[in-house]
Amino acid sequence: MKKVLLFLALAMLIFPLSACNNSKPSNADKADTSVKETGLNKKTISQNRVAWQKKTSGLKSVYKDGYSGDYIGVAFNMKELLNQASNDKNYAVVEGTICNLESMKGPKGVSLTKTTIYVDKVISGKKSLNRKVIQVPLKGGIISTDDYYLDATTNKTKQNLLVQEKLAPLPKIGAQVIIRLTKVDFSEKNSFNNYLEKAHFSTQKSYQPMLERFNYWIKNPSAKEFVLANSLYENQQEISEEYRAAQFQKLTDQLNEKFNK
């Protein structure tokens, strides 16, 4: 009898241990968990890409040069890129993946796109952004003619346009970007923040791009390397000063060597 009881007791101990081992997640479960934790869902990104293509298909494209030639604050080398705004606790240079593009309403004559970025890596600055999802307003996108043209009386029929900024074109959904950012301060009451709030930007996750006409790199899904965003416009006259163009190319090469894995 004692032997039987001892056998049953041992069996009860062994069974729970076996159950725990059997409940160990499979590789597929681990992958699902990883997706949920990171927010980087490839299936959702693919669906978002199809939805954006459907929205923009057939729209007339307008190419706009909405930037001045101001070079103040531009990073011409790696040291400046990493350290230039180090005194700003909300400054960051990040490498991220474009998860979604959504049209939004901006000020009269200004097209904006609500861009969702998953931060793959914080290159410099605010480390808490690593592996987080952020929202960034990028110039360009879908806008109606009556909102785009300051003199709406010149347009007989209201229609949507697809605006691309020549020096900072929109990336494709699924692309990787390297971009300088600073946090949007919603405590400042201004018209631009009002547009962000109406587009349901999160007060905690919203970041503003910095000098994206020069310090902004895109690696579209079919591309092998990051390139300066301003070089993606087919007929763009690139930075005219030869020495500055060489500086930007050297910085681009360094970023690819270090972060294009």
Side-chain angles (χ1 to χ4, degrees), residues 105-191:
K105 190 174 179 64
K108 187 77 171 178
V110 178
S111 57
L112 293 169
T113 297
K114 183 180 181 181
T115 307
T116 303
I117 301 176
Y118 172 75
V119 179
D120 299 294
K121 182 184 298 182
V122 176
I123 295 173
S124 179
K126 198 169 182 180
K127 299 301 182 185
S128 61
L129 291 182
N130 194 47
R131 304 292 180 181
K132 297 290 177 61
V133 174
I134 59 175
Q135 297 166 338
V136 179
L138 292 180
K139 287 187 178 180
I142 302 170
I143 187 172
S144 65
T145 51
D146 58 337
D147 282 334
Y148 181 68
Y149 294 105
L150 298 180
D151 182 8
T153 59
T154 60
N155 299 279
K156 295 180 180 179
T157 305
K158 177 181 175 180
Q159 59 179 311
N160 284 338
L161 304 171
L162 178 61
V163 177
Q164 287 277 24
E165 295 285 347
K166 293 179 184 179
L167 292 179
L170 286 173
K172 295 179 180 178
I173 295 176
Q176 287 183 293
V177 296
I178 294 176
I179 190 168
R180 297 171 73 189
L181 303 167
T182 189
K183 199 171 189 299
V184 176
D185 184 1
F186 281 99
S187 67
E188 293 184 6
K189 299 304 177 183
N190 54 55
S191 59

Coordinates of all heavy atoms in Angstrom, one line a residue, residues 105-191:
K105 N -5.8 66.9 -42.4 CA -6.0 68.2 -42.8 C -4.9 69.1 -42.1 O -4.6 69.0 -40.9 CB -7.4 68.7 -42.4 CG -7.8 70.1 -43.0 CD -9.2 70.4 -42.6 CE -9.7 71.7 -43.2 NZ -9.6 71.7 -44.7
G106 N -4.3 70.0 -43.0 CA -3.3 70.9 -42.5 C -3.8 72.4 -42.7 O -4.9 72.6 -43.2
P107 N -2.9 73.3 -42.5 CA -3.2 74.7 -42.8 C -3.4 74.9 -44.3 O -3.0 74.1 -45.1 CB -1.9 75.4 -42.3 CG -1.3 74.5 -41.3 CD -1.6 73.1 -41.8
K108 N -4.1 76.0 -44.6 CA -4.4 76.3 -46.0 C -3.1 76.3 -46.8 O -2.1 76.9 -46.4 CB -5.1 77.7 -46.1 CG -5.6 78.0 -47.4 CD -6.9 77.3 -47.8 CE -7.5 77.8 -49.1 NZ -8.7 77.1 -49.4
G109 N -3.1 75.5 -47.9 CA -2.0 75.5 -48.8 C -0.9 74.6 -48.4 O 0.1 74.4 -49.1
V110 N -1.1 73.8 -47.2 CA 0.0 72.9 -46.7 C -0.6 71.5 -46.7 O -1.6 71.3 -46.0 CB 0.4 73.4 -45.3 CG1 1.5 72.4 -44.8 CG2 1.0 74.8 -45.4
S111 N 0.1 70.6 -47.3 CA -0.3 69.2 -47.3 C 0.5 68.5 -46.2 O 1.7 68.6 -46.2 CB -0.2 68.5 -48.6 OG 1.2 68.6 -49.1
L112 N -0.1 67.7 -45.4 CA 0.6 66.9 -44.3 C 0.1 65.5 -44.3 O -1.1 65.2 -44.7 CB 0.3 67.6 -42.9 CG 0.9 68.9 -42.7 CD1 0.3 69.5 -41.4 CD2 2.4 68.9 -42.6
T113 N 0.9 64.6 -43.8 CA 0.6 63.2 -43.7 C 0.9 62.7 -42.3 O 2.0 62.9 -41.8 CB 1.3 62.3 -44.8 OG1 0.9 62.7 -46.1 CG2 1.0 60.8 -44.6
K114 N 0.0 62.1 -41.7 CA 0.2 61.5 -40.3 C 0.9 60.2 -40.6 O 0.4 59.2 -41.2 CB -1.1 61.2 -39.6 CG -1.0 60.7 -38.2 CD -2.4 60.5 -37.6 CE -2.3 59.9 -36.2 NZ -3.6 59.7 -35.6
T115 N 2.2 60.1 -40.1 CA 3.1 59.0 -40.4 C 3.4 58.2 -39.1 O 3.8 58.8 -38.1 CB 4.4 59.5 -41.0 OG1 4.1 60.4 -42.1 CG2 5.3 58.4 -41.4
T116 N 3.1 57.0 -39.1 CA 3.4 56.1 -38.0 C 4.7 55.4 -38.2 O 4.9 54.7 -39.2 CB 2.3 55.1 -37.8 OG1 1.0 55.7 -37.6 CG2 2.5 54.2 -36.5
I117 N 5.6 55.6 -37.3 CA 7.0 55.0 -37.4 C 7.3 54.1 -36.2 O 7.1 54.5 -35.0 CB 8.0 56.1 -37.4 CG1 7.8 57.0 -38.6 CG2 9.4 55.5 -37.5 CD1 8.7 58.2 -38.7
Y118 N 7.7 52.9 -36.5 CA 8.2 52.0 -35.4 C 9.7 52.2 -35.3 O 10.5 52.1 -36.3 CB 8.0 50.5 -35.7 CG 8.6 49.6 -34.8 CD1 8.1 49.4 -33.5 CD2 9.8 48.9 -35.1 CE1 8.7 48.6 -32.6 CE2 10.4 48.0 -34.2 CZ 9.8 47.9 -33.0 OH 10.5 47.0 -32.1
V119 N 10.2 52.6 -34.1 CA 11.6 52.9 -33.9 C 12.4 51.6 -33.7 O 12.3 51.0 -32.7 CB 11.8 53.9 -32.7 CG1 13.3 54.2 -32.5 CG2 11.0 55.2 -32.9
D120 N 13.1 51.3 -34.8 CA 14.0 50.1 -34.7 C 15.2 50.3 -33.8 O 15.7 49.4 -33.1 CB 14.5 49.7 -36.1 CG 13.3 49.3 -37.0 OD1 12.6 48.3 -36.8 OD2 13.1 50.1 -38.0
K121 N 15.7 51.5 -33.8 CA 16.9 51.8 -33.1 C 17.0 53.3 -32.9 O 16.7 54.1 -33.7 CB 18.2 51.4 -33.9 CG 19.5 51.6 -33.2 CD 20.6 51.2 -34.1 CE 20.5 49.7 -34.5 NZ 21.7 49.2 -35.3
V122 N 17.4 53.7 -31.6 CA 17.7 55.1 -31.3 C 19.2 55.3 -31.6 O 20.1 54.7 -30.9 CB 17.4 55.5 -29.9 CG1 17.8 56.9 -29.6 CG2 15.9 55.3 -29.7
I123 N 19.6 56.1 -32.6 CA 21.0 56.3 -32.9 C 21.6 57.3 -32.0 O 22.7 57.2 -31.6 CB 21.1 56.8 -34.4 CG1 20.6 55.7 -35.4 CG2 22.5 57.3 -34.7 CD1 20.5 56.2 -36.8
S124 N 20.8 58.3 -31.6 CA 21.3 59.3 -30.6 C 20.1 59.9 -29.9 O 19.0 60.0 -30.5 CB 22.1 60.4 -31.4 OG 22.5 61.4 -30.5
G125 N 20.3 60.4 -28.7 CA 19.2 61.1 -28.0 C 18.3 60.2 -27.2 O 18.8 59.3 -26.5
K126 N 17.1 60.4 -27.2 CA 16.1 59.9 -26.3 C 16.0 58.4 -26.4 O 15.2 57.8 -27.2 CB 14.7 60.5 -26.5 CG 13.8 60.4 -25.4 CD 12.6 61.3 -25.6 CE 11.6 61.2 -24.4 NZ 10.4 62.0 -24.5
K127 N 16.7 57.6 -25.5 CA 16.8 56.2 -25.6 C 15.4 55.5 -25.3 O 15.2 54.4 -25.8 CB 17.8 55.7 -24.6 CG 19.2 56.2 -24.9 CD 19.7 55.8 -26.3 CE 21.2 56.2 -26.5 NZ 21.6 55.9 -27.9
S128 N 14.5 56.2 -24.6 CA 13.2 55.6 -24.3 C 12.4 55.3 -25.5 O 11.4 54.6 -25.5 CB 12.5 56.4 -23.3 OG 12.2 57.7 -23.8
L129 N 12.7 55.9 -26.7 CA 12.0 55.7 -27.9 C 12.3 54.3 -28.5 O 11.6 53.9 -29.4 CB 12.3 56.8 -28.9 CG 11.8 58.2 -28.6 CD1 12.1 59.2 -29.7 CD2 10.3 58.2 -28.3
N130 N 13.4 53.7 -28.1 CA 13.7 52.4 -28.7 C 12.6 51.4 -28.6 O 12.0 51.2 -27.6 CB 15.0 51.9 -28.0 CG 15.6 50.7 -28.8 OD1 15.8 50.8 -30.0 ND2 15.9 49.6 -28.1
R131 N 12.3 50.8 -29.8 CA 11.2 49.8 -29.9 C 9.8 50.3 -29.6 O 9.0 49.6 -29.1 CB 11.5 48.6 -29.0 CG 12.9 47.9 -29.3 CD 12.9 47.3 -30.6 NE 14.2 46.6 -30.9 CZ 14.6 46.0 -32.0 NH1 13.7 46.0 -33.0 NH2 15.7 45.5 -32.2
K132 N 9.6 51.6 -29.8 CA 8.3 52.2 -29.6 C 7.7 52.7 -30.9 O 8.4 52.9 -31.9 CB 8.5 53.4 -28.6 CG 9.0 53.0 -27.2 CD 8.0 52.3 -26.4 CE 8.5 51.9 -25.1 NZ 8.9 53.0 -24.2
V133 N 6.4 52.9 -30.9 CA 5.7 53.5 -32.0 C 5.5 55.0 -31.8 O 5.0 55.4 -30.7 CB 4.4 52.7 -32.3 CG1 3.6 53.4 -33.4 CG2 4.6 51.3 -32.6
I134 N 5.9 55.8 -32.8 CA 5.7 57.2 -32.7 C 4.9 57.7 -33.9 O 4.7 57.0 -34.9 CB 7.0 58.0 -32.6 CG1 7.9 57.7 -33.8 CG2 7.8 57.6 -31.3 CD1 9.2 58.5 -33.9
Q135 N 4.4 59.0 -33.8 CA 3.6 59.6 -34.8 C 4.3 60.9 -35.2 O 4.7 61.7 -34.4 CB 2.2 59.9 -34.3 CG 1.4 58.7 -34.0 CD 0.1 59.0 -33.2 OE1 0.0 60.0 -32.6 NE2 -0.8 58.1 -33.2
V136 N 4.5 61.1 -36.5 CA 5.3 62.2 -37.1 C 4.5 62.8 -38.2 O 4.1 62.1 -39.2 CB 6.6 61.7 -37.6 CG1 7.4 62.9 -38.1 CG2 7.4 61.1 -36.5
P137 N 4.3 64.2 -38.2 CA 3.7 64.8 -39.3 C 4.7 65.1 -40.4 O 5.6 65.9 -40.2 CB 3.1 66.1 -38.7 CG 4.0 66.4 -37.6 CD 4.5 65.1 -37.1
L138 N 4.6 64.5 -41.6 CA 5.5 64.8 -42.7 C 4.8 65.6 -43.7 O 3.6 65.4 -44.0 CB 6.0 63.4 -43.3 CG 6.9 62.6 -42.4 CD1 7.3 61.3 -43.1 CD2 8.1 63.3 -42.0
K139 N 5.6 66.5 -44.4 CA 5.0 67.3 -45.4 C 4.7 66.5 -46.7 O 5.4 65.6 -47.0 CB 5.9 68.5 -45.7 CG 5.9 69.5 -44.6 CD 6.7 70.8 -45.0 CE 6.6 71.8 -43.9 NZ 7.4 73.0 -44.3
G140 N 3.6 66.9 -47.4 CA 3.2 66.1 -48.6 C 2.0 65.2 -48.2 O 1.7 65.0 -47.1
G141 N 1.4 64.7 -49.3 CA 0.3 63.8 -49.1 C -0.9 64.2 -49.9 O -0.9 65.0 -50.8
I142 N -2.1 63.7 -49.4 CA -3.4 63.9 -50.1 C -4.0 65.2 -49.6 O -4.1 65.4 -48.4 CB -4.3 62.7 -49.9 CG1 -3.7 61.4 -50.4 CG2 -5.6 63.0 -50.6 CD1 -4.5 60.2 -50.0
I143 N -4.4 66.1 -50.5 CA -5.1 67.3 -50.2 C -6.0 67.7 -51.3 O -5.8 67.4 -52.5 CB -4.0 68.4 -50.0 CG1 -4.6 69.7 -49.4 CG2 -3.2 68.7 -51.2 CD1 -3.6 70.8 -49.0
S144 N -7.1 68.3 -50.9 CA -8.1 68.7 -51.9 C -7.6 70.0 -52.6 O -6.9 70.8 -52.0 CB -9.5 68.9 -51.3 OG -9.5 70.0 -50.4
T145 N -8.1 70.3 -53.8 CA -7.6 71.5 -54.5 C -8.1 72.8 -53.8 O -7.3 73.8 -53.8 CB -8.2 71.5 -56.0 OG1 -9.6 71.2 -55.9 CG2 -7.5 70.4 -56.8
D146 N -9.2 72.8 -53.2 CA -9.7 74.0 -52.5 C -8.9 74.3 -51.3 O -8.8 75.4 -50.8 CB -11.2 73.9 -52.2 CG -11.6 72.8 -51.4 OD1 -10.8 71.8 -51.4 OD2 -12.6 72.8 -50.7
D147 N -8.3 73.2 -50.7 CA -7.4 73.5 -49.5 C -5.9 73.8 -50.0 O -5.2 74.5 -49.3 CB -7.3 72.2 -48.6 CG -8.6 72.1 -47.8 OD1 -9.2 73.1 -47.5 OD2 -8.9 71.0 -47.4
Y148 N -5.5 73.2 -51.1 CA -4.2 73.4 -51.6 C -3.9 74.8 -52.2 O -2.9 75.4 -51.9 CB -3.8 72.3 -52.6 CG -2.4 72.4 -53.1 CD1 -1.3 72.1 -52.2 CD2 -2.1 72.7 -54.4 CE1 0.0 72.2 -52.7 CE2 -0.8 72.7 -54.9 CZ 0.2 72.5 -54.0 OH 1.5 72.6 -54.5
Y149 N -4.8 75.2 -53.1 CA -4.6 76.5 -53.7 C -5.2 77.6 -52.9 O -6.3 77.5 -52.4 CB -5.3 76.4 -55.1 CG -4.7 75.5 -56.1 CD1 -5.3 74.3 -56.4 CD2 -3.5 75.7 -56.7 CE1 -4.7 73.4 -57.3 CE2 -2.9 74.9 -57.5 CZ -3.5 73.7 -57.8 OH -2.9 72.8 -58.7
L150 N -4.3 78.6 -52.6 CA -4.8 79.7 -51.8 C -5.9 80.5 -52.4 O -6.8 81.0 -51.8 CB -3.6 80.6 -51.6 CG -2.4 80.0 -50.8 CD1 -1.3 81.0 -50.7 CD2 -2.8 79.5 -49.5
D151 N -5.9 80.5 -53.8 CA -7.0 81.2 -54.5 C -7.9 80.1 -55.1 O -7.7 79.6 -56.2 CB -6.5 82.1 -55.6 CG -7.6 82.8 -56.3 OD1 -8.8 82.7 -55.9 OD2 -7.3 83.4 -57.4
A152 N -8.9 79.6 -54.3 CA -9.7 78.5 -54.7 C -10.6 78.8 -55.9 O -11.2 77.9 -56.5 CB -10.6 78.0 -53.5
T153 N -10.8 80.1 -56.2 CA -11.7 80.5 -57.3 C -11.1 80.1 -58.6 O -11.8 80.0 -59.6 CB -11.9 82.0 -57.3 OG1 -10.6 82.7 -57.4 CG2 -12.5 82.5 -56.0
T154 N -9.8 79.7 -58.6 CA -9.2 79.3 -59.9 C -9.5 77.9 -60.3 O -9.2 77.4 -61.3 CB -7.7 79.5 -59.9 OG1 -7.2 78.6 -58.8 CG2 -7.3 80.9 -59.6
N155 N -10.2 77.2 -59.3 CA -10.5 75.8 -59.5 C -12.0 75.6 -59.7 O -12.7 75.9 -58.8 CB -10.0 74.9 -58.3 CG -8.5 75.0 -58.2 OD1 -7.7 74.4 -58.8 ND2 -8.1 75.9 -57.3
K156 N -12.3 75.1 -60.9 CA -13.8 74.9 -61.1 C -14.3 73.6 -60.4 O -15.4 73.6 -60.0 CB -14.0 74.8 -62.6 CG -13.6 76.0 -63.4 CD -13.9 75.8 -64.9 CE -13.5 77.1 -65.7 NZ -13.8 77.0 -67.1
T157 N -13.5 72.6 -60.4 CA -14.0 71.3 -59.8 C -13.1 70.9 -58.6 O -11.8 70.8 -58.8 CB -14.0 70.2 -60.8 OG1 -14.8 70.6 -62.0 CG2 -14.6 68.9 -60.3
K158 N -13.6 70.6 -57.5 CA -12.9 70.2 -56.3 C -12.4 68.8 -56.6 O -13.2 67.9 -57.0 CB -13.7 70.3 -55.1 CG -13.0 69.7 -53.8 CD -14.0 69.8 -52.6 CE -13.4 69.2 -51.4 NZ -14.3 69.3 -50.2
Q159 N -11.1 68.5 -56.4 CA -10.6 67.2 -56.5 C -9.4 67.0 -55.6 O -8.8 68.0 -55.1 CB -10.2 66.9 -58.0 CG -9.2 67.9 -58.5 CD -8.8 67.5 -59.9 OE1 -8.4 66.4 -60.3 NE2 -8.8 68.6 -60.8
N160 N -9.0 65.8 -55.4 CA -7.8 65.5 -54.5 C -6.5 65.5 -55.3 O -6.5 65.0 -56.5 CB -8.0 64.2 -53.8 CG -8.9 64.3 -52.6 OD1 -9.2 65.4 -52.1 ND2 -9.5 63.2 -52.2
L161 N -5.5 65.9 -54.7 CA -4.1 65.9 -55.3 C -3.2 65.1 -54.4 O -3.4 65.0 -53.2 CB -3.6 67.3 -55.5 CG -4.4 68.4 -56.2 CD1 -3.8 69.7 -56.0 CD2 -4.5 68.0 -57.7
L162 N -2.1 64.6 -55.0 CA -1.1 64.0 -54.2 C 0.2 64.9 -54.3 O 0.8 65.0 -55.4 CB -0.7 62.6 -54.8 CG 0.4 61.8 -54.0 CD1 0.1 61.6 -52.5 CD2 0.7 60.5 -54.7
V163 N 0.5 65.5 -53.2 CA 1.6 66.5 -53.2 C 2.8 65.8 -52.6 O 2.8 65.1 -51.6 CB 1.2 67.7 -52.3 CG1 2.4 68.7 -52.2 CG2 0.0 68.4 -52.9
Q164 N 4.0 66.0 -53.3 CA 5.3 65.6 -52.9 C 6.2 66.7 -52.7 O 6.3 67.5 -53.7 CB 5.9 64.5 -53.9 CG 5.2 63.2 -53.9 CD 5.7 62.3 -52.7 OE1 6.2 62.7 -51.7 NE2 5.5 61.0 -52.9
E165 N 6.8 66.9 -51.6 CA 7.8 67.9 -51.4 C 9.1 67.5 -52.1 O 9.6 66.4 -51.8 CB 8.1 68.2 -49.9 CG 6.9 68.7 -49.1 CD 6.7 70.2 -49.4 OE1 7.6 70.8 -50.0 OE2 5.6 70.7 -49.1
K166 N 9.7 68.3 -52.9 CA 10.8 67.9 -53.7 C 12.0 67.5 -52.8 O 12.8 66.6 -53.0 CB 11.3 69.0 -54.6 CG 10.3 69.3 -55.8 CD 10.8 70.4 -56.6 CE 9.8 70.8 -57.7 NZ 10.2 71.9 -58.5
L167 N 12.2 68.3 -51.7 CA 13.4 68.1 -50.8 C 13.1 67.1 -49.7 O 14.0 66.8 -48.9 CB 13.8 69.4 -50.2 CG 14.5 70.4 -51.3 CD1 14.9 71.7 -50.6 CD2 15.6 69.8 -52.0
A168 N 11.8 66.7 -49.5 CA 11.5 65.7 -48.5 C 10.3 64.9 -48.9 O 9.2 65.0 -48.3 CB 11.2 66.4 -47.2
P169 N 10.4 64.1 -49.9 CA 9.3 63.3 -50.4 C 8.8 62.3 -49.4 O 9.6 61.8 -48.6 CB 9.8 62.6 -51.7 CG 11.3 62.5 -51.5 CD 11.6 63.8 -50.7
L170 N 7.6 61.9 -49.5 CA 7.1 60.9 -48.5 C 7.7 59.5 -48.8 O 7.9 59.1 -49.9 CB 5.6 60.7 -48.7 CG 4.7 61.9 -48.1 CD1 3.2 61.6 -48.5 CD2 4.8 61.9 -46.6
P171 N 8.1 58.8 -47.7 CA 8.6 57.4 -47.9 C 7.4 56.5 -48.2 O 6.3 56.8 -48.0 CB 9.2 57.1 -46.5 CG 8.3 57.9 -45.6 CD 8.0 59.2 -46.3
K172 N 7.8 55.3 -48.7 CA 6.7 54.3 -48.9 C 6.5 53.6 -47.6 O 7.3 53.5 -46.7 CB 7.2 53.3 -50.0 CG 7.4 54.0 -51.3 CD 7.8 53.0 -52.4 CE 8.0 53.6 -53.7 NZ 8.5 52.7 -54.8
I173 N 5.3 53.1 -47.4 CA 4.9 52.2 -46.3 C 5.8 51.0 -46.3 O 5.9 50.3 -47.4 CB 3.4 51.9 -46.2 CG1 2.6 53.2 -46.0 CG2 3.2 50.9 -45.1 CD1 1.1 53.0 -46.1
G174 N 6.5 50.7 -45.2 CA 7.4 49.5 -45.2 C 8.8 50.0 -45.4 O 9.8 49.2 -45.2
A175 N 9.1 51.3 -45.8 CA 10.4 51.8 -45.9 C 11.1 52.0 -44.5 O 10.4 52.1 -43.5 CB 10.4 53.1 -46.7
Q176 N 12.4 52.0 -44.5 CA 13.1 52.4 -43.3 C 13.6 53.9 -43.5 O 13.9 54.3 -44.6 CB 14.3 51.5 -43.1 CG 13.9 50.1 -42.6 CD 15.1 49.2 -42.4 OE1 15.9 48.9 -43.3 NE2 15.3 48.9 -41.1
V177 N 13.7 54.6 -42.4 CA 14.1 56.0 -42.5 C 15.1 56.2 -41.4 O 15.1 55.5 -40.3 CB 13.0 57.0 -42.4 CG1 12.0 56.8 -43.5 CG2 12.2 56.8 -41.0
I178 N 16.0 57.2 -41.6 CA 16.8 57.8 -40.5 C 16.5 59.2 -40.5 O 16.5 59.9 -41.5 CB 18.3 57.6 -40.8 CG1 18.7 56.1 -40.7 CG2 19.2 58.4 -39.8 CD1 20.1 55.8 -41.1
I179 N 16.0 59.7 -39.3 CA 15.4 61.0 -39.3 C 15.7 61.7 -37.9 O 15.8 61.0 -36.9 CB 13.9 61.0 -39.5 CG1 13.3 62.4 -39.7 CG2 13.2 60.2 -38.5 CD1 11.9 62.3 -40.3
R180 N 15.9 63.0 -37.9 CA 16.0 63.8 -36.7 C 14.7 64.2 -36.2 O 13.8 64.7 -37.0 CB 16.9 65.0 -36.9 CG 18.3 64.7 -37.3 CD 19.0 66.0 -37.8 NE 19.4 66.8 -36.6 CZ 19.9 68.1 -36.8 NH1 20.0 68.6 -38.0 NH2 20.1 68.8 -35.7
L181 N 14.5 64.1 -34.9 CA 13.1 64.4 -34.3 C 13.3 65.2 -33.0 O 14.3 65.1 -32.3 CB 12.4 63.1 -34.0 CG 12.1 62.1 -35.2 CD1 11.7 60.8 -34.6 CD2 11.1 62.7 -36.1
T182 N 12.2 65.9 -32.7 CA 12.0 66.5 -31.4 C 10.6 66.4 -31.0 O 9.7 66.4 -31.9 CB 12.5 67.9 -31.3 OG1 12.5 68.3 -29.9 CG2 11.7 68.9 -32.1
K183 N 10.3 66.2 -29.7 CA 8.9 66.0 -29.3 C 8.0 67.2 -29.5 O 8.4 68.3 -29.3 CB 8.9 65.6 -27.8 CG 7.6 64.9 -27.4 CD 7.8 64.4 -25.9 CE 6.6 63.5 -25.5 NZ 5.3 64.2 -25.6
V184 N 6.8 66.9 -30.0 CA 5.8 68.0 -30.1 C 5.4 68.5 -28.7 O 5.0 67.7 -27.9 CB 4.6 67.6 -30.9 CG1 3.5 68.7 -31.0 CG2 5.0 67.1 -32.4
D185 N 5.4 69.8 -28.5 CA 5.0 70.3 -27.2 C 3.5 70.8 -27.4 O 3.3 71.9 -27.8 CB 5.9 71.5 -26.8 CG 5.6 72.0 -25.5 OD1 4.7 71.5 -24.8 OD2 6.3 73.0 -25.0
F186 N 2.6 70.0 -26.9 CA 1.2 70.3 -27.0 C 0.8 71.4 -26.0 O -0.4 71.9 -26.1 CB 0.3 69.1 -26.9 CG 0.3 68.3 -28.2 CD1 1.1 67.1 -28.3 CD2 -0.6 68.6 -29.2 CE1 1.0 66.4 -29.5 CE2 -0.6 67.9 -30.4 CZ 0.2 66.7 -30.5
S187 N 1.7 71.7 -25.1 CA 1.3 72.8 -24.1 C 1.3 74.1 -24.8 O 0.8 75.1 -24.3 CB 2.3 72.8 -22.9 OG 3.6 73.2 -23.4
E188 N 2.0 74.2 -26.0 CA 2.0 75.4 -26.8 C 0.7 75.5 -27.6 O 0.5 74.6 -28.4 CB 3.2 75.5 -27.7 CG 4.6 75.6 -27.0 CD 5.7 75.7 -28.0 OE1 5.5 75.8 -29.2 OE2 6.9 75.7 -27.5
K189 N -0.1 76.4 -27.4 CA -1.3 76.6 -28.1 C -1.1 77.3 -29.4 O -0.9 78.6 -29.4 CB -2.4 77.2 -27.2 CG -2.7 76.5 -25.9 CD -3.1 75.1 -26.2 CE -3.4 74.3 -24.9 NZ -3.8 72.9 -25.2
N190 N -1.1 76.6 -30.5 CA -0.9 77.3 -31.8 C -1.7 76.5 -32.8 O -2.2 75.4 -32.5 CB 0.6 77.4 -32.2 CG 1.3 76.0 -32.2 OD1 0.8 75.1 -32.8 ND2 2.4 75.9 -31.4
S191 N -1.9 77.1 -34.0 CA -2.7 76.5 -35.0 C -2.2 75.2 -35.5 O -3.0 74.3 -35.8 CB -2.9 77.5 -36.2 OG -1.6 77.8 -36.8

